[in-house]
Amino acid sequence: MDNIFIELEKRDILSRMCEKAILIGIRESGETVQKAESHLDELEGLVHSLGIPTAGSLLVNLKSIHPRWLLGKGKVEEVTQVIADLDADLVVFDSDLSPAQQRNLEENWGTAVIDRREVILDIFADRASTREAVLQVALARMKYSLPRLTRAWTHLSRQRGGAKGNRGKGETQLETDRRLVLSKISNFKRDLAKVREQRDVRRKKRLERPVPSVSLVGYTNAGKSSLLNAVSGSQVLVEDKLFATLDPTTRRVEQTGGREFLMTDTVGFIRKLPHDLVDAFRSTLEEAVLADVIIHVADAHSHELDEHVKVTENVLRELGSGDKTRLLVLNKCDSLTKDEREALSFRHPRGLLVSAHTGEGIQTLLDKLGARLDASRPIVTLHLPPDRWDVRARLHKESTVIDEQYDDEGLTLTVRLNSEERGRLSEFLVDV
Ligand SMILES: Nc1nc2c(ncn2[C@@H]2O[C@H](COP(=O)(O)OP(=O)(O)OP(=O)(O)O)[C@@H](O)[C@H]2O)c(=O)[nH]1
Ligand SMILES: [Mg+2]
């Protein structure tokens, strides 16, 4: 393998080699301490998801950005002391670091330094299991690493006995490395296109039977997979970890009254989700937002509920589904006090209080969902003459038949049809 890819791989597993992390939260001007602290808590959750224990954390008021280190010189020295006191080998920033800042801080502190984006990329890399997810994450990682190649090269040249006097050679090498990575990126894109083609074929197959579709979207850890399990009685992986789900999982849900729908659980969102990841997962997410109804699941117990709702709405808008109607589910209501419930209902009058754990509110959710789906597929009556049994066969295969009655003149069917089907079968429609 080319050296550059070995270097990149080393970088990819860097955080996994670390044993004790210090977290640095940045309080931006105008941000409350409480909000900055809950962002820091979220970062701790992310780092924990990587399996790295946190030894300590610092909240820094950032008045101005120091181009070399992001932090001011005094702060950098303060952190040096904290690292020594706690014997940490990793420093994690909640905000983005430029490649140069990252390199300067690593050299200064003698520890690994990563930012929030890299943590999220690492988690996604750990979780990815299907070929599509693996490729998507690898692509996002490469794009993240490309501008950081200078740093990879610095490490490499040091190993080879110092960069001094070698500078010219180093830069030529850097160019070659860049080209190698770019060509790897285009290979990934080609492989991804192939995998997506296969998924499209599977999706089209599903669409041959026009069962309505519902997707679950929302902030990570909101309880989307739990809700899918509660509604469909299945056993999708549920974990108290951020980004437990990366690949969309679809389940068929059948209800009484001839209602059925496909419900898809999907990757969760998070604030400052790296753009490369949104891009990488765009095709999987777009499929989710194409659903007939979108259920936005939020964790009602979280202090940051409103921010989570906003982040999710923003990503949905970015994916082009900002105006599609959706149901807001305020999950985990079993953990709320009576007062909290009232306050929440006041703040989110349209939100449905639900608990995937106790089942509270699930029936109401299904009723609302049913009403939305029914509105798009009303019940109609069709009458088929005896020579059109082919239509009957097709209806049974492709639609939801609720009832059928034979008589002397043929067959009367009660069916649910969407507008496209109603148009196609208009000659058989009976006015009732
Ligand atoms: N108390 C309570 N906890 C819940 C409820 N629903 C889910 N949880 C917990 O919340 C955590 C996350 O649940 P998941 O269903 O994995 O959440 P998710 O939205 O699929 O998360 P990602 O796949 O990581 O985006 C788990 O620890 C669940 O047990 C609920 O109704 N009440
Ligand atoms: Mg999940």
Side-chain angles (χ1 to χ4, degrees):
M1 202 194 300
D2 291 289
N3 281 334
I4 187 58
F5 292 116
I6 298 174
E7 273 309 296
L8 286 174
E9 266 185 33
K10 269 199 220 153
R11 184 75 213 173
D12 287 356
I13 57 164
L14 179 68
S15 61
R16 262 62 62 83
M17 320 250 294
C18 296
E19 286 170 356
K20 225 188 237 181
I22 291 175
L23 313 183
I24 300 193
I26 305 291
R27 187 176 152 220
E28 284 158 20
S29 57
E31 205 174 46
T32 63
V33 175
Q34 195 207 2
K35 175 152 260 172
E37 275 173 356
S38 73
H39 287 167
L40 201 52
D41 284 347
E42 184 178 87
L43 183 69
E44 185 167 354
L46 287 167
V47 173
H48 176 74
S49 290
L50 276 181
I52 307 170
T54 300
S57 57
L58 263 92
L59 197 56
V60 178
N61 291 316
L62 203 62
K63 287 189 202 80
S64 62
I65 290 174
H66 195 294
R68 240 178 107 68
W69 297 299
L70 180 78
L71 309 174
K73 197 156 189 319
K75 251 320 156 205
V76 173
E77 275 160 20
E78 192 185 320
V79 178
T80 309
Q81 194 52 49
V82 178
I83 292 170
D85 291 348
L86 298 175
D87 193 24
D89 55 0
L90 175 71
V91 180
V92 187
F93 275 74
D94 195 34
S95 57
D96 290 347
L97 290 171
S98 73
Q101 288 165 346
Q102 219 169 358
R103 181 175 61 235
N104 295 335
L105 289 168
E106 282 187 346
E107 278 175 1
N108 203 313
W109 289 332
T111 60
V113 175
I114 61 177
D115 62 9
R116 187 187 161 85
R117 275 198 293 164
E118 195 161 348
V119 175
I120 297 176
L121 282 166
D122 285 349
I123 296 175
F124 272 61
D126 271 356
R127 299 271 194 284
S129 61
T130 62
R131 186 153 170 71
E132 185 172 16
V134 169
L135 283 167
Q136 286 177 147
V137 175
L139 188 61
R141 263 228 87 113
M142 283 265 165
K143 284 191 185 159
Y144 177 84
S145 301
L146 192 59
R148 285 164 168 77
L149 271 183
T150 334
R151 183 169 55 148
W153 173 249
T154 320
H155 289 215
L156 198 64
S157 51
R158 217 184 287 133
Q159 273 172 13
R160 285 177 183 164
K164 260 191 203 148
N166 240 348
R167 209 176 166 77
K169 189 170 164 235
E171 275 163 14
T172 331
Q173 184 64 44
L174 191 62
E175 261 321 296
T176 319
D177 289 346
R178 252 184 234 287
R179 242 178 292 124
L180 278 170
V181 175
L182 281 175
S183 97
K184 185 102 174 179
I185 286 179
S186 64
N187 284 351
F188 276 144
K189 284 190 175 156
R190 205 190 43 225
D191 291 351
L192 247 182
K194 262 191 229 146
V195 178
R196 282 178 185 157
E197 235 169 69
Q198 290 159 3
R199 184 159 54 85
D200 271 355
V201 171
R202 285 201 299 276
R203 181 163 160 254
K204 285 212 184 86
K205 260 217 169 95
R206 272 209 308 270
L207 287 179
E208 274 171 18
R209 190 150 181 241
V211 178
S213 56
V214 177
S215 63
L216 297 163
V217 298
Y219 210 77
T220 180
N221 217 40
K224 300 175 292 299
S225 302
S226 305
L227 203 60
L228 177 69
N229 288 341
V231 168
S232 71
S234 61
Q235 293 295 324
V236 174
L237 173 78
V238 169
E239 270 187 295
D240 191 12
K241 269 189 178 175
L242 303 174
F243 302 114
T245 309
L246 284 197
D247 293 298
T249 312
T250 302
R251 293 279 178 274
R252 179 182 291 272
V253 182
E254 289 181 32
Q255 290 185 278
T256 47
R259 253 188 219 146
E260 58 179 335
F261 56 85
L262 297 176
M263 188 174 247
T264 301
D265 173 26
T266 180
V267 58
F269 304 153
I270 195 161
R271 62 182 266 275
K272 295 194 187 165
L273 187 65
H275 250 272
D276 291 340
L277 277 179
V278 179
D279 277 348
F281 280 80
R282 188 169 288 274
S283 90
T284 7
L285 289 170
E286 271 169 359
E287 191 179 324
V289 302
L290 277 177
D292 293 301
V293 178
I294 296 175
I295 299 183
H296 175 168
V297 187
D299 177 352
H301 191 53
S302 166
H303 291 305
E304 299 306 320
L305 168 73
D306 289 352
E307 189 187 20
H308 294 179
V309 168
K310 215 187 284 163
V311 167
T312 304
E313 289 297 333
N314 284 344
V315 182
L316 288 175
R317 202 166 310 129
E318 242 180 79
L319 290 166
S321 96
D323 50 359
K324 191 168 218 162
T325 53
R326 39 189 159 267
L327 290 168
L328 176 64
V329 164
L330 304 168
N331 189 36
K332 310 195 188 180
C333 72
D334 53 284
S335 324
L336 301 178
T337 62
K338 195 165 164 279
D339 287 351
E340 284 170 336
R341 280 168 179 256
E342 276 170 13
L344 210 56
S345 301
F346 184 73
R347 256 173 36 226
H348 296 280
R350 285 168 178 273
L352 287 175
L353 287 172
V354 164
S355 165
H357 277 186
T358 65
E360 182 185 340
I362 299 275
Q363 194 51 51
T364 316
L365 169 65
L366 286 173
D367 291 345
K368 290 228 182 230
L369 189 59
R372 296 264 170 120
L373 293 173
D374 288 354
S376 63
R377 296 167 79 245
I379 296 175
V380 294
T381 308
L382 298 175
H383 190 269
L384 302 180
D387 61 340
R388 291 310 305 267
W389 266 205
D390 61 308
V391 177
R392 174 183 181 268
R394 192 161 163 190
L395 282 170
H396 272 277
K397 192 163 158 256
E398 297 179 358
S399 305
T400 314
V401 177
I402 298 166
D403 187 35
E404 44 185 4
Q405 303 280 339
Y406 290 89
D407 54 48
D408 295 342
E409 285 142 53
L411 174 64
T412 304
L413 293 131
T414 314
V415 245
R416 279 200 180 280
L417 295 183
N418 64 26
S419 61
E420 189 263 329
E421 294 167 308
R422 285 197 303 278
R424 188 156 45 79
L425 298 168
S426 59
E427 58 178 305
F428 306 115
L429 277 177
V430 180
D431 280 332
V432 277

